[in-house]
Amino acid sequence: MGTMRRTVLGIFAAFFMLAATACSITTEDPGYVAPPPLPALEQLEQAALVDPAGYRSGDSVISFITEDRKVVCSLTDARGEHLNLPYEVNSFSDADNNKLAVVPVAHCGLADYPKPDAGDITDGCAGTGLGYLGGTALLTPDKATYGECRSGVTQMEAAYGPKGNKSGPLTQLAVLAEGANLERNGLRCSAYNGGVACGNVSAGVGFFVSPESYELNSKPVETAVPAPSEASKTP
């Protein structure tokens, strides 16, 4: 009798456990449409900032790579055209450049990238008009550009492109999680929507880059208020 009682109690317990489990089952809504990603500057304004300590390279540079190893970025400084990038040979610290003002910038490089639009080409490449390639983006406090004059591949292309060697300093960088947001000297970068957005939110300037597309955001051009014409003056 005791055995039967325990068996009956066990059956009831299993039944209630199954019922409780059944209540927690969720089904997908076939009519659900995910909301579109935020515009780049809104993402940078709204996404929560993360502690930059784990992303510091050298003295004060913040560097990261995306989880899919498609984009690498640094929140760093520039002296003229010389960028302080810890994973690239550069002339930022050369004595000859000490006279140049230090400007905070954000720089990104891509392993795969779109070509720059004709209207976004900002350099004549020593007057040749040749060699302006995509794959890099640069943000200063008041301007965002895509592409540069170069004859070789980007560091990301060399490491993680179709023929990349999967080696070198880029492989040591910390991964910035999707949706995470970093800030340095008023500039922010966030990994989201399959790429990276960087911007100066207060100035309304920024960019978004991904292997498939890029976007530049600039301040609206201020139009001067026309002066009253001579005919409109009262006698």
Side-chain angles (χ1 to χ4, degrees):
M1 192 72 176
T3 302
M4 181 178 293
R5 179 182 176 85
R6 287 196 297 271
T7 302
V8 172
L9 290 174
I11 292 173
F12 275 114
F15 173 78
F16 284 122
M17 183 177 276
L18 178 63
T21 304
C23 292
S24 65
I25 294 175
T26 58
T27 58
E28 293 185 6
D29 181 0
Y32 173 77
V33 178
L38 291 172
L41 291 176
E42 289 187 31
Q43 165 71 13
L44 292 168
E45 184 174 19
Q46 296 183 26
L49 292 172
V50 298
D51 186 352
Y55 300 91
R56 294 200 182 279
S57 300
D59 296 334
S60 62
V61 180
I62 296 173
S63 300
F64 65 87
I65 195 166
T66 54
E67 191 170 5
D68 59 7
R69 272 49 177 195
K70 292 296 185 182
V71 190
V72 64
C73 299
S74 285
L75 288 157
T76 183
D77 294 313
R79 285 189 174 113
E81 61 183 13
H82 306 287
L83 306 180
N84 185 17
L85 297 175
Y87 39 79
E88 291 187 13
V89 177
N90 61 79
S91 303
F92 177 83
S93 299
D94 287 4
D96 292 343
N97 298 322
N98 288 342
K99 62 190 176 199
L100 301 174
V102 176
V103 178
V105 298
H107 179 272
C108 293
L110 294 93
D112 302 294
Y113 49 86
K115 294 181 178 179
D117 294 337
D120 294 328
I121 296 176
T122 59
D123 193 318
C125 301
T128 65
L130 302 173
Y132 194 94
L133 304 175
T136 61
L138 180 66
L139 170 75
T140 65
D142 58 3
K143 188 178 182 181
T145 57
Y146 176 74
E148 63 183 357
C149 293
R150 69 172 187 275
S151 57
V153 298
T154 66
Q155 289 289 320
M156 275 298 288
E157 199 172 358
Y160 290 109
K163 298 180 180 179
N165 53 30
K166 308 295 188 297
S167 64
L170 296 181
T171 64
Q172 306 302 314
L173 295 178
V175 171
L176 186 64
E178 182 78 4
N181 203 3
L182 288 165
E183 182 176 41
R184 177 184 181 272
N185 289 358
L187 305 183
R188 293 184 176 185
C189 285
S190 178
Y192 93 115
N193 193 26
V196 173
C198 295
N200 179 352
V201 176
S202 62
V205 180
F207 64 72
F208 171 78
V209 288
S210 76
E212 293 77 28
S213 64
Y214 77 91
E215 176 185 324
L216 301 177
N217 300 106
S218 300
K219 292 182 293 187
V221 178
E222 296 181 2
T223 55
V225 178
S229 64
E230 293 294 327
S232 66
K233 292 181 179 180
T234 55

